[in-house]
Amino acid sequence: MSDNTRWGADLRLLDNLLQQNDLDVGKDLFVTERLETGQSDLETVVADDNLKQALLLRFLTRRGELEPLGHPTYGSRLFDLLGERNTLANRNRAKLYVLEALAMEPRVAEVLRVTVETNRAEPTQIDISVSLRPIYADTVLNLVFPFFLE
């Protein structure tokens, strides 16, 4: 079974899936040019990138924000940390909030590791690293994203 069959394809909504910290305001769809026709088409993400984008969107959405659309538990509580100091207790809260969000994602079979560290260059930024095993996959998916407390 191919990854496209397992996880499907979605429209690309995030530009950088390796280290994404925020949605690009005013631009939420990406286009690509078809070589054979020269026409533009909406860009898609498949396989691992599809799951990475889904997880990042879940982390970057305030929990409860999609309640009016019928998804009251979608998102994360990371936004509860905005304005807080970068302390061990708050980094542990960030880890808890990430674990909660991962538990709600049906394509995650097992969470292997979540670490939250202070960014050396920016003390108000925490770097969140996630290693997990997706369903229908033998390989580990790794994801790193920054989160800004201010």
Side-chain angles (χ1 to χ4, degrees):
M1 181 181 287
S2 74
D3 284 343
N4 293 352
T5 305
R6 293 176 187 157
W7 297 332
D10 278 321
L11 294 175
R12 178 176 292 281
L13 299 175
L14 299 175
D15 187 29
N16 182 351
L17 295 177
L18 297 177
Q19 289 205 0
Q20 177 68 38
N21 67 311
D22 202 356
L23 301 173
D24 188 2
V25 177
K27 179 181 180 184
D28 57 2
L29 292 174
F30 293 84
V31 294
T32 186
E33 186 177 325
R34 291 185 183 177
L35 295 177
E36 59 277 0
T37 64
Q39 294 181 333
S40 294
D41 200 357
L42 293 175
E43 192 173 333
T44 60
V45 289
V46 296
D48 288 353
D49 285 346
N50 185 355
L51 182 54
K52 287 179 184 178
Q53 176 175 273
L55 292 172
L56 287 168
L57 289 172
R58 185 178 290 274
F59 297 141
L60 294 171
T61 302
R62 187 182 306 267
R63 188 172 189 174
E65 188 173 335
L66 298 181
E67 185 171 4
L69 299 175
H71 303 284
T73 60
Y74 182 85
S76 78
R77 295 192 304 156
L78 283 171
F79 289 91
D80 292 350
L81 296 172
L82 288 178
E84 297 288 336
R85 296 181 56 216
N86 188 349
T87 63
L88 177 60
N90 285 330
R91 289 191 299 277
N92 284 335
R93 285 175 58 200
K95 182 176 180 178
L96 172 67
Y97 297 160
V98 167
L99 287 168
E100 286 176 347
L102 289 171
M104 299 299 290
E105 176 56 54
R107 293 179 284 183
V108 173
E110 179 185 12
V111 177
L112 303 173
R113 180 177 48 88
V114 174
T115 60
V116 180
E117 299 175 342
T118 300
N119 183 285
R120 291 182 184 160
E122 180 57 55
T124 62
Q125 175 184 328
I126 54 176
D127 294 325
I128 301 172
S129 301
V130 176
S131 292
L132 59 87
R133 191 172 318 284
I135 60 169
Y136 308 124
D138 296 325
T139 58
V140 172
L141 184 132
N142 295 303
L143 180 64
V144 178
F145 68 99
F147 186 79
F148 296 88
L149 298 170
E150 287 187 357

